Amino acid sequence: MKNQSVSSNLDWISVIIYIILVVLGWLNIYSSSLSTSAQDAYLFDFTQIYGKQMMFIFFTIPLIFIVLSVEGKFYEKYSSIIFGIALLLLAGLFVFGKTIAGQRCWYAIGGFTLQPSEFAKAATALALAKYLSDVQVNLKDVSRQVQALLIIALPVLLILPQPDPGSALIYSIFIIVLYREGLPAWYVWTGFIAILIFVLTLVLQPQYVILISFLVIAFIYARSRKINRNIIASAIVLGLISGFVLSVDYVFEHVFKQHHRDRFNILLGREVDLKGIGYNTNQSEIAIGSGGWIGKGFLEGTQTKGGFVPEQHTDYIFTTVGEEWGFVGSFIVIALFVGLITRIIYLSERQKTKFSRVYGYCVAGILFIHFFVNISMVLGVFPTIGVPLPFFSYGGSGLWGFTILLFIFLKMDANKVNEW
């Protein structure tokens, strides 16, 4: 049973969904990068974006075979070394990295670039899974919580100064994985409430947010049983919230960069700039809305062909889906992502080792936050922060990073002995 054939035990449902997403992604990259005057362009023109992406896809085939040929225990045994290499590659960017559009996120290799942050996600997932699978780890212990959070924080601290806030944001999903493995719920609720208060303070005056907080705390205090009432604790919570509210304006004006402030202001309706910082979002909404129910047809998108959405083949690739394939096509793409993520969660729950289960949840979480943030971004309900859509957005690093992330887990799942 130990040497079962990987191919016979591989979860082909996940593999088929992966293949469909990659193919659909390439079709949309082809459409978004093909100008109106080049309808008869050579399909294998590797000087063009769609040609390069085809080459990236071609190289995923041996990459998948390599990942699947390695013994599953290898990833657990050498997870710390893999994580260390990933951190070194991220740190090396500050010396050897290439700056593109103000970000020092890539290594230049010949005519291509490699973005190590895309591979660091899988490395961090492996390191976190290894740490949590230790039988002595109990996330009720504060020292264990700090150590687990430090694993997540290390790549974030190296990614943020590049600066690449989009990639750094992805690592926040690991908190949900920690919660699944026993982290106290108040960590999650504190983070959610902090984000909510931050946004409310940008919309309302600080005194109103403090008043609302006071009323909510008073209501909770009044509804609590007498034995659980603690007016001192309630007062401390209100004081902490008030201090946080009063700090929001300083953080927004002095910590955030101007383009970050502009994006939040556009999103929250505090400013209207359809020709400047809000141009991309406005054009993406127009493109998606123009698709209607069934879309304009493959290669027939006027917004796409007109080049109205800048960098449409990368972070805004979903606008091509919306315009050319319409609501029906968009729904199918979303259903495929949801199906893949749901399938990974299902497979994670049936793993026989904690290491495989935790890693599986990390995979599902990473794919989910990429998918959710990217779709929300192009629909104008989330600030533009540069988060690619898995298997769809142009780029070899992203495609290979997501492929490695997924197939390491599928290898682990294929190696386990089924319970039935």
Side-chain angles (χ1 to χ4, degrees), residues 37-322:
S37 60
Q39 293 293 327
D40 298 323
Y42 180 48
L43 195 62
F44 299 99
D45 185 353
F46 297 120
T47 64
Q48 300 298 318
I49 288 172
Y50 57 82
K52 292 178 181 178
Q53 187 69 11
M54 180 175 287
M55 184 169 59
F56 297 150
I57 293 172
F58 175 79
F59 281 114
T60 61
I61 298 174
L63 184 62
I64 290 171
F65 277 104
I66 292 172
V67 171
L68 294 180
S69 66
V70 175
E71 177 60 40
K73 283 291 183 181
F74 171 88
Y75 299 110
E76 181 176 2
K77 184 178 180 180
Y78 295 101
S79 57
S80 298
I81 295 176
I82 295 171
F83 184 56
I85 293 172
L87 293 179
L88 287 175
L89 289 173
L90 289 173
L93 288 171
F94 297 105
V95 179
F96 305 106
K98 180 179 181 180
T99 302
I100 301 175
Q103 293 182 311
R104 201 176 184 86
C105 304
W106 297 269
Y107 287 109
I109 304 174
F112 295 95
T113 56
L114 197 68
Q115 189 173 2
S117 62
E118 295 295 341
F119 304 96
K121 298 166 191 173
T124 305
L126 287 171
L128 192 62
K130 176 62 176 175
Y131 177 73
L132 294 179
S133 61
D134 189 325
V135 293
Q136 298 180 359
V137 171
N138 181 356
L139 288 179
K140 302 296 182 183
D141 185 336
V142 175
S143 64
R144 296 298 187 181
Q145 294 171 11
V146 172
Q147 291 170 16
L149 292 172
L150 184 61
I151 293 174
I152 301 171
L154 285 175
V156 172
L157 293 174
L158 292 171
I159 291 170
L160 276 175
Q162 294 177 4
D164 189 4
S167 294
L169 173 67
I170 300 303
Y171 290 80
S172 64
I173 198 65
F174 289 125
I175 302 298
I176 303 300
V177 177
L178 294 181
Y179 169 69
R180 166 64 179 79
E181 296 302 321
L183 187 72
W186 70 266
Y187 279 91
V188 179
W189 283 110
T190 300
F192 175 77
I193 292 171
I195 294 172
L196 180 62
I197 290 175
F198 188 90
V199 174
L200 277 176
T201 306
L202 294 178
V203 177
L204 305 174
Q205 293 295 324
Q207 58 267 29
Y208 294 131
V209 179
I210 294 174
L211 176 60
I212 292 171
S213 302
F214 170 78
L215 294 175
V216 171
I217 292 174
F219 176 78
I220 294 173
Y221 179 82
R223 291 294 299 270
S224 300
R225 294 181 180 179
K226 291 184 178 181
I227 194 172
N228 292 328
R229 288 183 174 181
N230 189 330
I231 193 169
I232 296 177
S234 299
I236 291 174
V237 170
L238 180 61
L240 291 173
I241 291 176
S242 299
F244 179 72
V245 169
L246 295 175
S247 70
V248 167
D249 185 65
Y250 176 84
V251 172
F252 189 72
E253 295 296 336
H254 297 91
V255 176
F256 281 26
K257 294 188 176 181
Q258 185 59 48
H259 63 277
H260 294 147
R261 293 196 294 270
D262 291 338
R263 287 167 180 171
F264 269 98
N265 288 332
I266 293 294
L267 179 67
L268 298 174
R270 299 171 67 178
E271 294 181 9
V272 177
D273 185 11
L274 301 183
K275 294 183 179 180
I277 196 70
Y279 178 80
N280 282 24
T281 301
N282 181 57
Q283 292 299 322
S284 69
E285 291 174 354
I286 292 173
I288 293 174
S290 67
W293 282 98
I294 60 174
K296 298 176 180 177
F298 183 56
L299 302 179
E300 299 297 327
T302 53
Q303 292 290 115
T304 297
K305 290 294 163 285
F308 289 100
V309 183
E311 302 299 322
Q312 191 171 0
H313 56 285
T314 55
D315 300 338
Y316 282 85
I317 190 64
F318 192 73
T319 60
T320 307
V321 179

Side-chain angles (χ1 to χ4, degrees), residues 375-393:
I375 300 296
S376 300
M377 184 179 68
V378 300
L379 293 177
V381 296
F382 200 89
T384 301
I385 55 172
V387 173
L389 186 61
F391 316 121
F392 262 68
S393 295

